């Protein structure tokens, strides 16, 4: 994207810290467009189609997966970035890549793998996403990984423990000294939150695990539903749900834009360096924050902790733990390329293998190892 028309504090190719491995500039696209394209074409991105968001992939064709979630986050991030005159291509690339390192079975899989890796440095899915684009993708002759720009890699790493940050050099510095990433990175982070909060409501209603009556107690939903019913008396079914959720997303996005603009002005931010030394700039208003917290509490207690979801997540944790223990006991059970890595760091090689699995592949691999009658 050309710097023309962008805010003075936006990331541009002129103020980018570039790539770890120097490459000739692309002929017909920008550096951050190249990042986006490499992400879309990588193996880890395709695998997201069969990785859980809330509901395991085989439970229904219309529930969101990590892939559809990532696309929705990218769309929202790009729209927000345009409204704030930020670098849309960078924001989109970060959004598309943010879940590349996620395990099968959603957060249950991540928690299980982290528990397995507790004695070996733990497992952080944001760090695994970075590891995926920096090391695990094998597509180019000149380097390992995708060789993305510093700013895209910085945005992928939303969270990082201090011990891991100390190993990352310049990229981990902000977790040690309290500085901030680009506004594009901050924006992708909250766009992710807006997307999953609203779309988990949609999937929860579709599944029948939560109801419209229950959501009547959630302020941010009830307010928009009343507005819809006032404008469209008698509207019901999927149209009522979609119209309500659409307005919820719009209200959150507009609040975020307005509050972020106010924060930027209040901090007198003029350059990218100002962004890095200011406090967190992308935020909701103080009036919206507690209402969003109410939605999060509702989703946690009524959907994520629903007994039917917990039954599946319990199975998922067992699958991850069983696989890890089996491979730790005998690394020869791993595919050949992971056996080679296991000679250097067996636990991390196993974590790489498991994290790269789709839901259905993990279930199939579990049957291969543990089901009587399965040979290979």
């Amino acid at each position: 994207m050309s710097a023309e028309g962008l805010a003075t504090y936006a990331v541009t190719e002129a103020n980018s810290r570039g790539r770890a491995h120097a490459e000739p500039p692309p002929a017909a696209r920008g550096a951050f467009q190249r990042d986006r394209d490499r992400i879309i074409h990588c193996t880890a991105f395709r695998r997201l189609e069969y990785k859980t968001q809330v509901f395991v992939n085989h439970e229904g064709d219309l529930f969101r997966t990590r892939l559809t979630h990532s696309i929705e986050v990218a769309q929202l991030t790009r729209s927000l970035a345009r409204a704030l005159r930020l670098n849309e291509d960078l924001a989109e690339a970060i959004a598309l890549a943010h879940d590349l390192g996620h395990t099968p079975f959603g957060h249950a899989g991540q928690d299980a793998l982290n528990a397995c890796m507790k004695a070996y440095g733990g497992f952080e899915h944001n760090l695994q996403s970075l590891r995926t684009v920096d090391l695990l993708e094998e597509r180019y002759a000149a380097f390992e990984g995708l060789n993305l720009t510093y700013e895209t890699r910085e945005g992928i790493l939303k969270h990082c423990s201090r011990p891991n940050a100390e190993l990352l050099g310049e990229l981990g510095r902000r977790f040690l000294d309290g500085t901030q990433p680009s506004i594009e990175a901050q924006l992708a982070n909250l766009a992710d939150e807006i997307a999953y909060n609203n779309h988990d409501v949609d999937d929860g209603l579709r599944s029948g695990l939560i109801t419209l009556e229950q959501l009547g107690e959630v302020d941010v939903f009830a307010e928009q539903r009343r507005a819809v019913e006032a404008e469209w008396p008698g509207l019901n079914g999927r149209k009522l749900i979609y119209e309500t959720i659409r307005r919820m997303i719009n209200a959150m996005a507009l609040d975020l834009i307005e509050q972020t603009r106010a924060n930027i002005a209040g901090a007198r931010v003029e350059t990218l360096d100002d962004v890095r030394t200011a406090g967190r700039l992308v935020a909701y208003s103080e009036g919206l924050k507690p209402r969003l917290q109410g939605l999060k509490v509702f989703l946690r207690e009524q959907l994520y902790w629903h007994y039917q979801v917990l039954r599946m997540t319990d199975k998922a944790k067992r699958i991850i733990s069983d696989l890890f223990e089996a491979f730790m006991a005998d690394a020869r059970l791993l595919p050949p390329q992971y056996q080679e890595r296991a000679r250097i760091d067996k636990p991390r090689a196993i974590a790489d293998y498991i994290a790269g699995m789709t839901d259905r592949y993990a279930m199939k691999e579990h049957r291969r190892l543990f089901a009587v009658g399965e040979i290979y």
Side-chain angles (χ1 to χ4, degrees):
M1 172 182 283
S2 167
E4 184 179 352
L6 294 185
T8 56
Y9 40 78
V11 174
T12 66
E13 293 187 28
N15 61 25
S16 170
R17 299 184 189 181
R19 305 179 190 274
H21 304 279
E23 297 183 63
R29 54 184 171 163
F32 303 112
Q33 287 177 294
R34 173 185 267 176
D35 283 1
R36 177 203 59 202
D37 297 348
R38 287 181 174 181
I39 291 161
I40 287 174
H41 287 279
C42 78
T43 303
F45 187 75
R46 292 196 298 278
R47 286 177 179 150
L48 296 178
E49 181 177 4
Y50 298 106
K51 290 194 177 189
T52 291
Q53 183 66 18
V54 173
F55 298 94
V56 176
N57 182 258
H58 70 265
E59 293 184 303
D61 292 339
L62 297 179
F63 296 126
R64 285 166 176 84
T65 66
R66 287 282 159 190
L67 180 61
T68 58
H69 166 69
S70 295
I71 293 170
E72 289 169 341
V73 176
Q75 175 272 316
L76 183 55
T77 304
R78 185 153 196 143
S79 295
L80 292 168
R82 176 170 295 190
L84 291 166
R85 295 194 300 124
L86 300 173
N87 192 314
E88 296 177 43
D89 295 328
L90 170 60
E92 181 182 34
I94 294 168
L96 289 169
H98 82 280
D99 268 349
L100 290 180
H102 220 297
T103 60
F105 310 121
H107 290 287
Q110 174 184 279
D111 292 344
L113 191 52
N114 184 42
C116 292
M117 288 290 291
K118 185 175 181 180
Y120 312 107
F123 178 86
E124 302 172 12
H125 91 263
N126 288 134
L127 192 61
Q128 189 69 17
S129 294
L130 182 67
R131 183 173 170 83
T132 298
V133 301
D134 281 359
L135 177 67
L136 300 180
E137 282 291 329
E138 298 178 325
R139 303 186 66 83
Y140 301 98
F143 44 77
E144 299 295 335
L146 304 181
N147 195 33
L148 303 180
T149 60
Y150 175 93
E151 290 75 22
T152 299
R153 296 169 60 237
E154 172 188 55
I156 290 171
L157 197 61
K158 294 192 295 186
H159 312 289
C160 186
S161 65
R162 189 175 185 88
N164 283 323
E166 290 172 346
L167 302 174
L168 290 174
E170 184 183 13
L171 198 66
R173 218 34 267 162
R174 66 185 174 92
F175 298 100
L176 304 177
D177 58 23
T179 54
Q180 302 295 333
S182 68
I183 302 185
E184 288 85 352
Q186 296 179 41
L187 202 62
N189 188 12
L190 284 192
D192 178 30
E193 183 177 290
I194 293 173
Y196 69 67
N197 279 335
N198 285 281
H199 296 144
D200 287 355
V201 169
D202 184 20
D203 282 351
L205 288 168
R206 183 180 293 278
S207 72
L209 299 187
I210 59 175
T211 66
L212 284 171
E213 288 69 32
Q214 288 175 306
L215 281 162
E217 303 299 317
V218 180
D219 183 49
V220 290
F221 184 92
E223 178 186 20
Q224 297 303 329
R225 179 181 177 177
R226 287 193 297 269
V228 171
E229 291 174 332
E231 185 173 351
W232 302 97
L235 192 69
N236 55 33
R238 297 306 302 175
K239 283 191 174 183
L240 173 62
I241 292 169
Y242 286 144
E243 187 68 23
T244 302
I245 292 173
R246 180 182 73 82
R247 293 181 186 220
M248 286 171 61
I249 293 172
N250 188 59
M252 292 176 193
L254 292 177
D255 180 273
L256 188 71
I257 291 167
E258 184 177 349
Q259 186 60 49
T260 299
R261 284 175 177 159
N263 291 345
I264 291 169
R268 298 183 179 180
V269 170
E270 295 182 0
T271 68
L272 181 56
D273 287 339
D274 292 340
V275 170
R276 298 191 183 283
T277 56
R280 186 61 60 137
L281 296 167
V282 179
Y284 305 112
S285 68
E286 290 301 317
L288 184 59
K289 285 179 184 177
R291 301 170 74 207
L292 292 183
Q293 186 59 31
L295 175 60
K296 290 180 183 180
V297 170
F298 172 84
L299 287 170
R300 181 177 69 240
E301 295 180 352
Q302 302 300 326
L303 181 61
Y304 310 147
W305 289 354
H306 192 286
Y307 82 94
Q308 289 181 236
V309 174
L310 289 177
R311 285 180 177 182
M312 188 61 238
T313 57
D314 185 64
K315 291 179 188 177
K317 289 179 179 179
R318 293 185 189 185
I319 290 171
I320 297 295
S321 299
D322 287 349
L323 290 175
F324 188 87
E325 290 171 9
F327 296 136
M328 282 295 289
D330 188 351
R332 293 174 300 176
L333 299 176
L334 290 165
Q337 66 269 36
Y338 289 95
Q339 289 184 37
E340 293 179 18
R341 292 179 189 161
R343 296 187 186 101
I344 300 170
D345 186 341
K346 183 165 68 170
R348 190 57 60 185
I350 294 169
D352 287 340
Y353 181 45
I354 293 175
M357 294 179 180
T358 62
D359 295 1
R360 62 184 184 180
Y361 184 87
M363 290 186 282
K364 183 180 290 187
E365 191 76 332
H366 191 268
R367 289 195 298 271
R368 287 170 179 152
L369 290 173
F370 296 102
V372 175
E374 294 284 346
I375 299 176
Y376 57 86

